[in-house]
Every structure is written in C-alpha cells, then in structure tokens.
Amino acid sequence: MNEARSLPMAEPIKREIAMPAETTTYGSAALRRWLVADADALYQLVNESLDHLRPWMPWAAEHSRQQSVEFTGGCERAWTAGTAYTYAVLSGGDLAGSCGIVRDGQS
C-alpha cells in the first residue's frame, strides 16, 4: 500500500519590486500619481459624478473636500512607503477616475 506523504512547504519567494512609474501614457489616456495638490480637482470630479457613484461606492454619500484631501494625502504617504501606488486616470488631459495597485497584505 502506498501511504500519502506530506511535502514540506516552500518558503515564499521574496523579491524587491521596483517602484512603478509616477506617470504613464497610452494615446490620450494617462495614469498619474495622485498628489495632495489634486484634492480640489478630485472633489469636483466626485461631486459631478455623485449620482453614478452612490449606488456603488458607500463613501460617496458622505463625500467632502476634507475626504479628498485625506485620500490624496494617504495616496502620497502610501506611495512613499511603498505599500500602494494610486493613480489619477486622465483622458485627454482631463481627470476621469482613479485606480491603484496595493502590495499583497497591505489592503
């Protein structure tokens, strides 16, 4: 009879990952690192999109300029710490949204 054997667990591979580019473009689309200086533009964009955001994004119901300042400031701190890289999405130079990358275990 063959007995099942447990194999030893492999150690996770730890690699140094380079910091991503602060800006990248493709045609008229661009990703640009969020900065605190973007807080007013973010606040305006969210206000213009509240009807579309509220059903999907719980934070939109209580949106304020202060939240935009806190979000963009948090983006700057996380970028510097290397825990998350959050981008403003631009279309034709206009702010259109946000996306980001979070390091495993940081969410």
Side-chain angles (χ1 to χ4, degrees), residues 12-55:
I13 298 171
K14 295 184 181 182
R15 298 182 192 149
E16 287 297 318
I17 299 173
M19 188 175 287
E22 293 190 16
T23 304
T24 187
T25 59
Y26 185 80
S28 64
L31 299 178
R32 182 182 46 77
R33 174 185 173 181
W34 279 113
L35 300 171
V36 172
D38 297 317
D40 286 334
L42 174 60
Y43 178 66
Q44 180 179 346
L45 178 67
V46 171
N47 278 344
E48 292 170 358
S49 306
L50 281 174
D51 290 342
H52 301 286
L53 291 171
R54 281 189 186 118

Side-chain angles (χ1 to χ4, degrees), residues 42-88:
L42 174 60
Y43 178 66
Q44 180 179 346
L45 178 67
V46 171
N47 278 344
E48 292 170 358
S49 306
L50 281 174
D51 290 342
H52 301 286
L53 291 171
R54 281 189 186 118
W56 307 103
M57 304 293 183
W59 55 262
E62 302 296 323
H63 180 67
S64 67
R65 184 181 183 289
Q66 184 59 35
Q67 284 178 317
S68 292
V69 170
E70 290 170 8
F71 173 79
T72 54
C75 291
E76 280 196 24
R77 288 188 299 279
W79 189 289
T80 300
T83 58
Y85 305 101
T86 310
Y87 292 95

